[in-house]
Amino acid sequence: MLQEIVQEIHTAQATLVAVSKTKPISAILEVYETGMRDFGENKVQELLTKYPDCPSDIRWHLIGHLQTNKVKQIVGKVVLIHSVDSLYLLEEIEKQSAKIQIVTDCLLQFHISDETTKFGFDKDSFQDIFKSIQQSNFKHLRICGVMGMATFTEDQNQIRQEFKTLRQIFETAKKEFYADDSHFKEVSMGMSDDYKIALEEGSTMVRVGSLLFGKRQ
Ligand SMILES: *Cc1c(COP(=O)(O)O)cnc(C)c1O
């Protein structure tokens, strides 16, 4: 199962982030042994608990909502924050990264689903958001692309449309704001139930949990 998914995602030239939330370190190590190095957690506290007891060459991704007061604890520990959803949060990431003299890679999360429970910037104002970020001229963070979560639905067509919307935001932003910036290249979309559609719609990073680790409680 694992090897098949890895192969499929590799063929699509996308990165697989193994989402290990709620799973014990023993489960992480099992997947690590197969060669996986990119792991994702959605909660800062859980990531911090696992971090010291896991191999140091694991590339940790923060994929869940990040509160401003927790930024300080995770900068320097994660290779990518997928879930930036406010300018205020970006300012804090800039500030905390500057303090320890690093550059933190970030994705902007857009709200592409029809569920109010999901986080993210308003997709209709994406141009204003990118404009503001460009004016801020951050030196200690890099915007590497966009992230989004589709609606939890059986309607494959709706999921596909939402992924198309995210890919379109990426394409437009690339052209208008990041044409000369090779770091702006990621479209993080697709989970266990919809990663195939996501890959077809131009995902460069899929975040897969239950399909690799088994169902969560
Ligand atoms: C849990 C989670 C995933 C993975 O979900 P699965 O359905 O288990 O693959 C992906 N992205 C985010 C943001 C998550 O919280």
Side-chain angles (χ1 to χ4, degrees), residues 19 21 42 63 147 149 191-192 207-210 216:
V19 178
K21 64 187 186 195
N42 70 331
I63 61 172
M147 181 271 224
M149 290 168 87
M191 310 180 9
S192 293
R207 312 173 308 270
V208 176
S210 43
R216 288 177 298 272

Coordinates of all heavy atoms in Angstrom, one line a residue, residues 19 21 42 63 147 149 191-192 207-210 216, ligand 1:
V19 N 1.2 12.5 7.2 CA 0.5 13.2 8.3 C 0.4 12.2 9.5 O -0.5 11.3 9.5 CB -0.8 13.7 7.9 CG1 -1.5 14.4 9.1 CG2 -0.6 14.7 6.7
K21 N -0.4 12.9 12.7 CA -1.1 13.4 13.9 C -1.9 12.2 14.6 O -2.4 11.4 13.9 CB -2.1 14.5 13.5 CG -3.2 14.0 12.5 CD -4.0 15.2 12.0 CE -5.2 14.7 11.2 NZ -5.8 15.8 10.4
N42 N -0.6 18.6 12.8 CA -1.5 19.8 12.7 C -1.6 20.6 14.0 O -2.2 21.6 14.0 CB -2.9 19.3 12.3 CG -3.6 18.5 13.3 OD1 -3.0 17.8 14.1 ND2 -4.9 18.6 13.4
I63 N 0.9 21.7 9.4 CA -0.2 21.8 8.5 C -1.5 22.3 9.1 O -2.5 22.6 8.4 CB -0.5 20.4 7.8 CG1 -0.9 19.3 8.9 CG2 0.8 19.9 7.1 CD1 -1.3 18.0 8.3
M147 N -1.9 26.7 -0.1 CA -2.4 25.4 0.5 C -3.9 25.6 0.6 O -4.4 26.7 0.8 CB -1.8 25.2 1.9 CG -2.3 23.9 2.6 SD -3.8 24.1 3.6 CE -3.3 23.2 5.0
M149 N -7.8 23.1 1.6 CA -8.5 21.9 1.9 C -9.9 21.9 1.2 O -10.6 22.9 1.4 CB -8.7 21.7 3.4 CG -7.4 21.4 4.1 SD -7.7 21.6 5.9 CE -8.2 19.9 6.3
M191 N -5.6 15.0 0.3 CA -5.5 14.2 1.5 C -5.8 12.7 1.1 O -6.0 12.5 -0.1 CB -6.4 14.7 2.6 CG -6.2 16.2 2.7 SD -7.2 17.1 4.0 CE -8.0 16.0 5.0
S192 N -6.0 11.9 2.1 CA -6.2 10.4 1.8 C -7.3 10.2 0.8 O -7.2 9.5 -0.2 CB -6.5 9.7 3.0 OG -5.4 9.6 3.9
R207 N -0.9 15.8 1.4 CA -0.7 15.6 2.9 C -1.6 14.4 3.2 O -2.8 14.5 3.3 CB -1.2 16.8 3.7 CG -0.6 18.1 3.2 CD -1.2 19.3 3.9 NE -2.7 19.3 3.8 CZ -3.4 19.8 2.9 NH1 -2.9 20.5 1.9 NH2 -4.7 19.7 3.0
V208 N -1.0 13.2 3.3 CA -1.8 12.0 3.5 C -1.5 11.4 4.9 O -0.4 11.1 5.3 CB -1.4 11.0 2.4 CG1 -2.1 9.6 2.6 CG2 -1.7 11.5 1.0
G209 N -2.6 11.1 5.6 CA -2.5 10.6 6.9 C -3.1 9.1 7.0 O -2.3 8.2 7.0
S210 N -4.4 9.0 7.1 CA -5.0 7.7 7.4 C -4.7 6.6 6.4 O -4.6 5.5 6.8 CB -6.5 7.9 7.5 OG -7.0 8.7 6.5
R216 N -7.7 7.1 12.2 CA -7.5 7.7 13.5 C -8.8 7.5 14.3 O -9.8 7.2 13.8 CB -7.3 9.2 13.4 CG -5.9 9.6 12.8 CD -5.8 11.1 12.7 NE -6.8 11.7 11.8 CZ -6.6 11.8 10.5 NH1 -5.5 11.4 9.9 NH2 -7.5 12.3 9.7
Ligands
LIG1 C1 -5.3 15.4 9.1 C2 -4.9 16.3 8.0 C3 -4.6 15.8 6.7 C4 -4.5 14.3 6.4 O1 -5.8 13.7 6.5 P1 -6.1 12.2 6.0 O2 -7.5 12.3 5.6 O3 -5.9 11.4 7.2 O4 -5.2 11.9 4.9 C5 -4.2 16.6 5.7 N1 -4.2 18.0 6.0 C6 -4.5 18.5 7.1 C7 -4.5 20.0 7.3 C8 -4.9 17.7 8.2 O5 -5.3 18.3 9.3

